[in-house]
Amino acid sequence: MGVVTERAPKQDRSRATRQRILEAAVACLTEHGWSGSTVAVVCTRAGVSRGAAQHHFRTREELFTAAIAHVAEQWLTAVRERALALPREGPDRTYAVVDMLVAVHTGPLFRAALHLWVAAGEEEALRPRVTALESRIGREAHRLAVDFLGADESRPGVRETVQGILDMARGLGLANLLSDDSARRAGIVRQWSRILDAELRREPAA
């Protein structure tokens, strides 16, 4: 029993250390970009030794892709919880869903992920991990959008319109990197939500 008792706190400490490292990695990417986010910088921010980081993540590429995946999972959980408070139906719900998707793409997760995406264009060792991660996050974001909107993707044009909203949200996230684009963004969100709502409500052709 004593061995089991000792092992559990050790595992808890290991999980807590891993979480600190992941959160520090995302913060470093957001603030310093890929070139400024070395393993040493992350370790200093997390308050752990380099050996502790290497115990959990063998390479820099593994660390940062795991960090984005970790935060993406947190985001997905938060979005599902937030969806419970969305208006039940109609244009108000459509607007709230679009606004929520845009908020994600103008937040710190998108900024950190973008640095990783850009670095993958130059770093051969990073590219396969980032490509797989981006594909997984993209599929999950699309699936959530469809679920929240109650969209019937068997109807022509609906899938493309939903994906267009996600692509638009990414574009707004890029614009927000350089300056506060919130005023212009609010009008765009309203207009795109009207377009999307009209498409979702459009009667199928006879």
Side-chain angles (χ1 to χ4, degrees):
M1 290 294 291
V3 173
V4 175
T5 303
E6 289 177 6
R7 185 179 299 159
K10 185 175 181 179
Q11 290 174 341
D12 289 344
R13 289 195 300 272
S14 180
R15 282 193 292 267
T17 297
R18 188 178 191 275
Q19 174 124 347
R20 286 208 312 277
I21 294 169
L22 292 173
E23 290 173 353
V26 172
C28 287
L29 270 180
T30 302
E31 296 173 13
H32 308 302
W34 173 255
S35 61
S37 297
T38 64
V39 175
V41 170
V42 172
C43 289
T44 298
R45 186 175 190 121
V48 303
S49 68
R50 189 180 184 90
Q54 289 178 331
H55 171 74
H56 292 282
F57 308 102
R58 292 171 297 172
T59 65
R60 183 187 183 200
E61 292 79 15
E62 182 180 339
L63 165 60
F64 283 99
T65 50
I68 296 299
H70 168 72
V71 177
E73 287 300 322
Q74 290 183 322
W75 166 72
L76 291 171
T77 299
V79 165
R80 292 187 187 100
E81 291 175 353
R82 182 175 171 183
L84 298 175
L86 291 172
R88 292 182 62 83
E89 59 185 12
D92 288 345
R93 182 178 179 88
T94 303
Y95 171 82
V97 171
V98 174
D99 187 54
M100 181 170 62
L101 293 172
V102 170
V104 169
H105 286 84
T106 53
L109 171 59
F110 179 78
R111 183 182 292 268
L114 183 62
H115 285 300
L116 202 62
W117 291 183
V118 171
E122 303 291 334
E123 302 281 342
E124 188 67 33
L126 187 61
R127 193 174 306 146
R129 290 178 177 275
V130 171
T131 299
L133 177 61
E134 195 277 339
S135 179
R136 180 160 62 87
I137 293 174
R139 286 195 304 270
E140 187 64 15
H142 186 99
R143 188 185 68 77
L144 285 177
V146 169
D147 287 348
F148 295 158
L149 292 165
D152 180 2
E153 291 195 304
S154 67
R155 292 174 48 193
V158 171
R159 178 177 179 80
E160 292 78 8
T161 303
V162 172
Q163 186 58 49
I165 294 295
L166 291 167
D167 292 342
M168 177 273 298
R170 282 191 176 191
L172 291 176
L174 287 171
N176 195 59
L177 290 175
L178 298 177
S179 62
D180 182 2
D181 200 40
S182 55
R184 186 178 71 92
R185 186 165 68 241
I188 293 173
V189 169
R190 284 193 296 271
Q191 179 62 15
W192 271 94
S193 65
R194 284 193 288 264
I195 292 170
L196 177 59
D197 195 66
E199 180 63 31
L200 294 176
R201 294 172 182 280
R202 181 170 58 84
E203 291 296 326

